[in-house]
Amino acid sequence: MRHGFRGRRFNRSVEHRQAMFANMSAALIKHEQIVTTLPKAKDLRPIVEKLITLGKRGDLHARRLAMSRLRDDAMVKKLFEVLGPRYAGRPGGYCRVLKAGFRYGDNAPMAVIEFVDRDVDARGKDSGPVMVSEDAEA
């Protein structure tokens, strides 16, 4: 019996799971909305909410803790300069998980996890290679 064991294992080692959630947290902070499976979204929400709480604190120790969990300078900077002040007056509940149907390949339940007062323009920003057209060079 697994009484008292919180969270799912996702058939991954501890290190793989920590890296996966660090990458997903950085992606959520960057784009402010991501699509993933429902169980991963449900397990990601408390991780991101604790990071937002660190961003609201704003001191050096909170910044170092966030850096140790995220391992991305630009996302830690956004966490403390943009998201922390944005949610300063909110006592909690910074993320929402919305069900988004089922994936075509394996029928896995999908979900959208997003920030409550998100910036709509942040979605898809700086994702993937930039295509340079020949007209822009001339």
Side-chain angles (χ1 to χ4, degrees):
M1 290 182 282
R2 292 189 68 239
H3 296 305
F5 290 97
R6 204 183 123 279
R8 297 168 184 87
R9 293 192 190 138
F10 298 112
N11 201 18
R12 290 165 167 82
S13 64
V14 174
E15 294 83 10
H16 188 178
R17 205 165 41 247
Q18 287 174 346
M20 177 184 72
F21 282 128
N23 291 335
M24 290 175 71
S25 300
L28 182 60
I29 289 170
K30 182 177 185 177
H31 301 291
E32 300 194 12
Q33 179 187 33
I34 60 172
V35 179
T36 183
T37 62
L38 184 62
K40 285 180 188 172
K42 285 182 176 180
D43 279 7
L44 179 65
R45 180 172 42 191
I47 294 170
V48 172
E49 296 209 354
K50 288 171 187 167
L51 287 172
I52 298 291
T53 304
L54 289 176
K56 285 170 58 176
R57 273 180 36 194
D59 57 345
L60 179 62
H61 182 57
R63 188 176 290 265
R64 286 179 173 165
L65 283 173
M67 188 62 203
S68 72
R69 286 168 174 78
L70 276 178
R71 299 187 289 274
D72 190 347
D73 283 334
M75 295 309 107
V76 171
K77 184 176 180 183
K78 180 177 180 180
L79 179 68
F80 281 85
E81 293 179 1
V82 177
L83 298 177
R86 182 189 301 172
Y87 297 113
R90 182 180 283 268
Y94 315 112
C95 298
R96 71 168 61 103
V97 175
L98 304 169
K99 293 183 180 181
F102 298 92
R103 188 161 54 198
Y104 173 70
D106 58 355
N107 209 29
M110 298 299 287
V112 175
I113 181 168
E114 65 182 10
F115 289 123
V116 174
D117 298 325
R118 70 182 177 94
D119 180 20
V120 180
D121 297 331
R123 182 177 172 210
K125 184 179 281 187
D126 300 330
S127 62
V130 177
M131 299 297 290
V132 178
S133 65
E134 295 175 10
D135 297 335
E137 294 175 1

